[in-house]
Amino acid sequence: MAAVLVVEDDQFVRSALIRHLTDASHTVRSVGTALEALREVAHVRFDLVILDLGLPDLDGSEALKMLRGITDVPVIVATARDDEREIVRLLNAGADDYLTKPFSVEHLSARMAAVLRRARPAAGAVPPSTVLRVGGLAIDPLRREAELDGVRLDLTRREFDLLAFLAGRPGVVVARKELLAEVWQQSYGDDQTIDVHLSWLRRKLGETAARPRYLHTLRGVGVKLEPPRAERTP
Ligand code: CA
């Protein structure tokens, strides 16, 4: 069972998808334009997005890029083009998988199951849950839940991974390169990706770069997470 956002402008394809996904006991929301999709993912947390690349308002890869700017939700792109270079480009642009239209519901189900499996590691693959506590933060890596002062934080997958990684080594300055490798599983990339996610995380923690509480950026060095000064035990 997953919360799925279907982004598809073709009424016929859209209702077929909704019917199939609902039958498979997923919860579905659907929109017909990229801008509506962006608005949805900014407000609702989905487990998966199925993104048609031929939308009326934005080019599909443009839509994907903008989507990636706000969320790490797994995205399966549905493309009419069976063009290998285009598909490689989309996967590089952040798509988790793709489907070439027309596709069967069986094919869609199989791709969805694989993407969801990757996004949510199997319970057996994760070590027994140890809740990480740093000041008022409590992070449960197994349940993938984080709280600040008892209030549940609504984090994206990447924000959660970033927070959990830093909370696992409180007070330790982690280099950007290490964050890229450990959280993004990339050996290279630009610092902006990290900075953007850090600023979102910061906002959700209710702090700013100018007045940090938990998240401290050391220019040119890296980032560390530690309890706010007043809450530190002597
Ligand atoms: Ca279309």
Side-chain angles (χ1 to χ4, degrees):
M1 246 194 345
V4 184
L5 175 66
V6 170
V7 190
E8 171 64 70
D9 60 319
D10 183 316
Q11 272 303 340
F12 181 75
V13 178
R14 190 160 144 184
S15 31
L17 273 174
I18 294 170
R19 196 164 7 143
H20 163 66
L21 292 168
T22 313
D23 284 351
S25 36
H26 298 300
T27 49
V28 188
R29 281 172 84 104
S30 69
V31 291
T33 64
L35 290 179
E36 285 173 290
L38 292 169
R39 201 176 313 141
E40 281 292 311
V41 298
H43 293 107
V44 185
R45 198 156 156 185
F46 293 97
D47 297 312
L48 181 76
V49 174
I50 299 173
L51 177 68
D52 171 36
L53 289 180
L55 293 169
D57 57 339
L58 274 180
D59 171 64
S61 53
E62 211 44 52
L64 179 63
K65 238 183 280 165
M66 291 178 72
L67 206 69
R68 272 289 165 260
I70 28 180
T71 171
D72 290 311
V73 65
V75 176
I76 296 181
V77 293
T79 167
R81 308 160 237 188
D82 190 8
D83 171 348
E84 197 182 349
R85 270 178 41 204
E86 171 71 3
I87 288 164
V88 168
R89 203 165 66 83
L90 289 165
L91 292 172
N92 283 332
D96 292 83
D97 208 342
Y98 70 95
L99 282 161
T100 307
K101 288 180 175 180
F103 50 81
S104 65
V105 292
E106 289 79 11
H107 196 164
L108 170 65
S109 299
R111 292 292 173 112
M112 276 183 62
V115 166
L116 289 170
R117 208 162 40 231
R118 284 202 299 268
R120 305 178 181 143
V126 181
S129 194
T130 318
V131 176
L132 304 164
R133 291 183 195 280
V134 179
L137 275 170
I139 296 133
D140 185 334
L142 183 61
R143 293 173 183 273
R144 297 189 66 80
E145 286 173 4
E147 286 182 353
L148 176 59
D149 301 327
V151 180
R152 175 88 175 265
L153 293 169
D154 184 22
L155 304 177
T156 65
R157 182 159 51 118
R158 200 76 88 186
E159 287 161 2
F160 182 87
D161 289 343
L162 184 59
L163 182 64
F165 185 79
L166 292 170
R169 34 193 78 56
V172 175
V173 180
V174 181
R176 284 186 155 69
K177 216 173 140 187
E178 191 180 348
L179 283 178
L180 262 184
E182 297 292 333
V183 179
W184 274 261
Q185 265 115 46
Q186 287 177 9
S187 51
Y188 64 92
D190 67 86
D191 284 358
Q192 237 190 326
T193 310
I194 296 177
D195 289 337
V196 167
H197 281 85
L198 279 172
S199 83
W200 288 330
L201 185 55
R202 207 167 249 142
R203 202 176 310 158
K204 291 186 181 174
L205 296 178
E207 59 184 64
T208 62
R211 299 184 68 116
R213 291 182 70 226
Y214 286 92
L215 271 178
H216 300 263
T217 306
L218 288 90
R219 272 207 190 284
V221 187
V223 188
K224 68 174 171 179
L225 182 86
E226 61 183 14
R229 271 163 215 285
E231 293 169 33
R232 234 178 277 173
T233 42

